[in-house]
Amino acid sequence: MDPIGSALTCDTLLLVEVPPPWPRDVGEIPAFAEAGRRARPDAMRRTRLLAVSPTGDVTPGRESRAGVRVTRWQRTGSNRFVGADHTVPRERLVDGLVRLLDGGDGAYDNITAQAASAEVLLCGHGQRDRCCGRDGARLWMEMASRWPGVRVRRCSHLGGHRFAPTGLTLPDGRAWAFLDPTTLDQIVRQDAQPSELRGSYRGTTALDRWGQVVERELFERFGWGWLDHEFTSSRTVVMDGGRAATVELAWHGPTGEASATAVVEVIREIPLLVCGEPPESAERTSPELAPRFVLIRHGAAPLQ
């Protein structure tokens, strides 16, 4: 199954260091549940709260504070997030999460935010899916110290566990599937062209699932230089029956102003498999999406 269109859609990621194992729904972690109740509903709308494994690399001078590291990644463009690490006292964790969810700076007791390094999140949520708990955790252990300046953390459910191992790269905010050490290394180092990674790309977190399908076509056309472009508008119109949608995107960047119009369709329904269970036990299906056509215009001239 092609994993495109299965990435989560969000503008804020809040990563809280909580040692696993985690419950099947991390929203049941007491601090997460209370923070979710107290935060503004609009702040939670495009926010994903994740548990991540502690890395152990505490900044010198902070060890005695017994704090919890919380990283907030905030979207600043269609292809970029900006991240900041905060250390929140354990006894004030809920207050800190609410403040960060609501958009505050999270500073407590003269502790200021520090810029977060680029990172890779790998789903290793065994209570949610056995394949993630096995294959994702194994990949995390193997890749934890692979790249200088890139932090690798095991995280809770990223969606799409049928594509395990799954991951998310930051600051670009892209979701990935069917990862192995070679593929993940190519992604982080940008050693392979996006077209070569087609079968592992779930999509950008900046768009809905229909837009993610179209964005992959642009990513492949422009290569990694696509990360230097910014969307100026996006519009999705789902057709009656929910089996197709028209997507309109516009952007600017080093190649100038351009736009794309596309029709994306559901081409088949795939049984939503459960790790370790026979295929006939699947109770739901998952749609596979593909573009019928993508028309790209640079100025007034169509490129495709």
Side-chain angles (χ1 to χ4, degrees), residues 8 10 12-18 22 26-27 29 32 44 47-53 68-73 97 101 119-123 125 128 153-159 167-168 170 205:
L8 58 90
C10 66
T12 305
L13 287 159
L14 203 62
L15 315 177
V16 186
E17 290 197 344
V18 179
W22 307 303
V26 294
I29 296 173
F32 286 25
M44 298 294 295
T47 296
R48 190 63 176 262
L49 188 60
L50 297 174
V52 294
S53 56
V68 177
R69 176 158 51 188
V70 180
T71 305
R72 183 175 66 184
W73 287 94
L97 294 181
L101 287 169
E119 67 181 312
V120 176
L121 302 177
L122 295 173
C123 180
H125 197 163
R128 189 66 178 248
R153 291 194 278 185
R154 177 184 177 185
C155 72
S156 57
H157 185 52
L158 290 173
L168 186 71
L170 292 160
T205 55

Side-chain angles (χ1 to χ4, degrees), residues 26-70:
V26 294
E28 297 175 358
I29 296 173
F32 286 25
E34 181 62 22
R37 283 191 292 266
R38 289 172 47 186
R40 299 194 321 270
D42 62 307
M44 298 294 295
R45 192 164 295 120
R46 285 175 65 97
T47 296
R48 190 63 176 262
L49 188 60
L50 297 174
V52 294
S53 56
T55 58
D57 57 340
V58 179
T59 302
R62 293 190 178 183
E63 296 88 338
S64 62
R65 296 184 182 273
V68 177
R69 176 158 51 188
V70 180

Side-chain angles (χ1 to χ4, degrees), residues 222-234:
F222 289 96
W224 291 102
W226 175 242
L227 301 186
D228 296 324
H229 294 71
E230 293 292 341
F231 288 126
T232 54
S233 66
S234 65

Side-chain angles (χ1 to χ4, degrees), residues 222 249-253 255-261 295-304:
F222 289 96
L249 300 174
W251 64 91
H252 68 83
T255 57
E257 303 285 335
S259 63
T261 302
L295 177 66
I296 303 174
R297 295 180 177 273
H298 193 277
L303 295 182
Q304 178 179 322

